[in-house]
Amino acid sequence: MKLSLAALLLLLASCLTPGHGILEANYTNLKCKCSKTISKPIHPNIIERIQVTPPGNGCPKSEALIWTRTKKILCVNPHDRWFQMVLKFLRRKAVSSTPPAPVSKKRTT
């Protein structure tokens, strides 16, 4: 009797575990992050980081998140013309600011 009661309690406890919460914590990118977007252009000098996410299972639209130097997170439309120009400017700036690769000369003996 004690063994069957213990087995029943173990089965009941395993059914009550919050498995959904664990899965939801691991797959947080299945929801849209932006409820609304701003359309006002942002100057590239205050941008610290940009993240563009493509449409996925949980969010049917592509999103662009901008982290500013003041630690604010802004959602913008990734298809806006001003955002595309900012991306192009930042890419050009990143390419020109990288130091050249070291060149080693071949020794001739």
Side-chain angles (χ1 to χ4, degrees):
M1 183 70 175
K2 288 183 182 180
L3 184 61
S4 63
L5 183 61
L8 183 62
L9 286 175
L10 182 63
L11 180 65
L12 182 63
S14 66
C15 292
L16 295 177
T17 57
H20 176 70
I22 294 169
L23 289 176
E24 189 174 324
N26 289 337
Y27 298 105
T28 55
N29 61 346
L30 294 178
K31 299 177 191 167
C32 291
K33 294 178 181 78
C34 299
S35 58
K36 65 177 187 171
T37 60
I38 62 168
S39 58
K40 188 177 99 174
I42 300 169
H43 198 277
N45 288 343
I46 67 166
I47 295 175
E48 186 173 296
R49 187 177 106 175
I50 296 176
Q51 177 185 4
V52 179
T53 56
N57 291 337
C59 187
K61 59 182 180 177
S62 60
E63 298 179 313
L65 284 89
I66 294 178
W67 282 262
T68 64
R69 295 191 191 276
T70 59
K71 307 299 181 211
K72 289 172 76 175
I73 300 174
L74 306 171
C75 290
V76 298
N77 184 355
H79 304 295
D80 281 348
R81 187 165 183 242
W82 70 266
F83 181 71
Q84 296 297 324
M85 291 172 58
V86 166
L87 281 179
K88 190 183 293 187
F89 172 77
L90 291 175
R91 284 186 190 129
R92 217 176 312 136
K93 185 177 173 183
V95 169
S96 65
S97 66
T98 56
V103 177
S104 60
K105 294 183 179 179
K106 212 177 201 182
R107 284 195 238 171
T108 56
T109 54

